[in-house]
């Protein structure tokens, strides 16, 4: 009988110990006491919540902001070494080269747009008006003017895309320079 009573007491102690431990670890149902903003270099990265005086932040966002490698294996989140702040000369020169290529492409497209808008389109539209009563020549020149207009529209779309790429590359170059 003594063994039974001591077994019940030990079981009760073990059970109550597990319950207390489970309460201290679980955040489910806990009240969020505050919200902090996580910033890096003056820019907002994400938000962290405060529960029982402890800040809880999204691990992936913080890892990406610090340059640390992150891996998930089963129920483990493994953070690797952060990348160093040393400028990678090769990537900087590659970005600079890409930037120069983009600037050249942008200049060519802008020149093409300007030439078509100022010269080709007006020339063919005027010729189409003059030759309107001269068989197919008026219609052919109007078709040429319309083709140049279409080319200008396509060039403007391409120009917008290239300018966006240039902005991205400039941002990456600035980031490497920090």
């Amino acid at each position: 009988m003594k063994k039974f009573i001591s077994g019940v007491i030990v079981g009760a102690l073990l059970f109550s110990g597990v319950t207390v431990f489970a309460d201290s670890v679980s955040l489910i149902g806990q009240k969020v006491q505050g919200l902090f903003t996580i910033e890096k270099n003056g820019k907002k990265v994400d938000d962290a919540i405060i529960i029982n005086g402890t800040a809880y932040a999204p691990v992936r966002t913080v890892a990406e902001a610090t340059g640390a490698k992150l891996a998930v294996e089963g129920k483990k989140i493994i953070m690797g070494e952060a990348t160093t702040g040393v400028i990678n000369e090769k990537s900087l020169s590659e970005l600079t080269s890409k930037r120069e290529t983009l600037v050249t492409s942008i200049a060519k497209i802008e020149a093409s747009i300007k030439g078509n808008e100022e010269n080709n389109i007006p020339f063919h539209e005027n010729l189409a008006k003059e030759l309107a009563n001269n068989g197919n020549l008026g219609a052919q020149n109007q078709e040429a003017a319309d083709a140049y207009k279409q080319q200008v529209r396509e060039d403007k779309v391409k120009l917008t895309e290239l300018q966006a790429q240039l902005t991205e590359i400039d941002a990456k170059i600035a980031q490497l320079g920090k």
Side-chain angles (χ1 to χ4, degrees), residues 4 9-10 13-14 16 23 37 64 70 73-75 78 80 93-94 112-114 119 131 136 146 166:
F4 176 75
I9 292 172
V10 169
L13 288 174
L14 287 174
S16 66
D23 273 348
T37 300
E64 288 172 357
L70 189 69
E73 293 177 4
K75 290 191 173 191
I78 302 164
S93 66
E94 288 173 0
S112 173
I113 291 171
K114 184 178 179 182
N119 299 322
L131 300 173
N136 289 338
D146 292 341
L166 181 62

Side-chain angles (χ1 to χ4, degrees), residues 6 13 18 32 42 93 127 134:
S6 60
L13 288 174
V18 169
V32 175
S93 66
L127 204 52
N134 196 356

Side-chain angles (χ1 to χ4, degrees), residues 17 43-44 55-56 74 80 88 90 94 96 109 111 117-118 131 134 145 147 149:
K43 293 184 181 178
K44 181 179 176 181
Y56 294 91
N88 184 340
K90 184 178 179 185
E94 288 173 0
T96 304
I109 290 175
E117 287 180 334
E118 292 179 1
L131 300 173
N134 196 356
K149 288 178 184 178

